[in-house]
Amino acid sequence: MKRDNINALNAPQPRGGYSQAVSIEDFRRVLFVSSQIPVTSDDVVPEGFEAQARQVWLNVDAQLKAAGMSKTDIVKVTTYLADRQHVMENREIRNDYLGSLAPAMTVVITGIFDSAWLMEVEVVAAQ
């Protein structure tokens, strides 16, 4: 698969480990991962934002692996945060998970389905 990160010089430059656009060519398949929630496989919601964010990324990783993919296949991330106060901590934890990978990205501050959850993340991956 050919993948290009695109950041037009005549538009705002990305801040925080993402690309303004990602182009993919010659891919075999695309995987759409539903919003992953901060709940463990035994139905426990971790305490605090950091623990919840790390659990969400563990859940994203589990879905990717179940599909025979990995985080390097992620081309788009959408994050839903329950509160704007978590923006910077979210960025740090996301960057810990993604490393130098810079997918297209959207972060939305919104009400979350369950009031105990502080975030959700959905991804699109391609191989």
Side-chain angles (χ1 to χ4, degrees):
M1 177 179 84
K2 182 179 180 217
R3 172 190 181 128
D4 290 315
N5 293 350
I6 299 168
N7 297 295
L9 295 177
N10 61 341
Q13 294 304 296
R15 298 177 201 138
Y18 67 96
S19 297
Q20 294 291 15
V22 176
S23 171
I24 56 174
E25 297 177 35
D26 303 322
F27 55 92
R28 295 185 326 260
R29 67 184 180 136
V30 176
L31 177 70
F32 297 88
V33 180
S34 295
S35 282
Q36 296 300 292
I37 59 176
V39 178
T40 65
S41 60
D42 55 347
D43 209 29
V44 173
V45 177
E47 290 289 324
F49 183 81
E50 180 179 359
Q52 286 196 19
R54 294 196 186 282
Q55 184 62 54
V56 164
W57 286 108
L58 286 172
N59 294 344
V60 167
D61 209 48
Q63 300 305 328
L64 292 168
K65 286 180 181 172
M69 294 179 148
S70 72
K71 67 183 177 182
T72 60
D73 298 312
I74 295 173
V75 295
K76 173 72 168 92
V77 174
T78 303
T79 302
Y80 302 94
L81 296 176
D83 193 305
R84 183 171 272 104
Q85 73 178 347
H86 303 301
V87 168
M88 294 310 292
E89 191 172 12
N90 171 65
R91 181 185 292 178
E92 290 172 16
I93 294 165
R94 182 189 66 230
N95 288 347
D96 282 349
Y97 175 75
L98 293 175
S100 63
L101 184 65
M105 190 166 309
T106 302
V107 177
V108 180
I109 311 301
T110 188
I112 304 287
F113 180 78
D114 186 315
S115 61
W117 305 342
L118 300 175
M119 70 178 300
E120 296 183 38
V121 170
E122 62 184 35
V123 302
V124 177
Q127 287 184 319

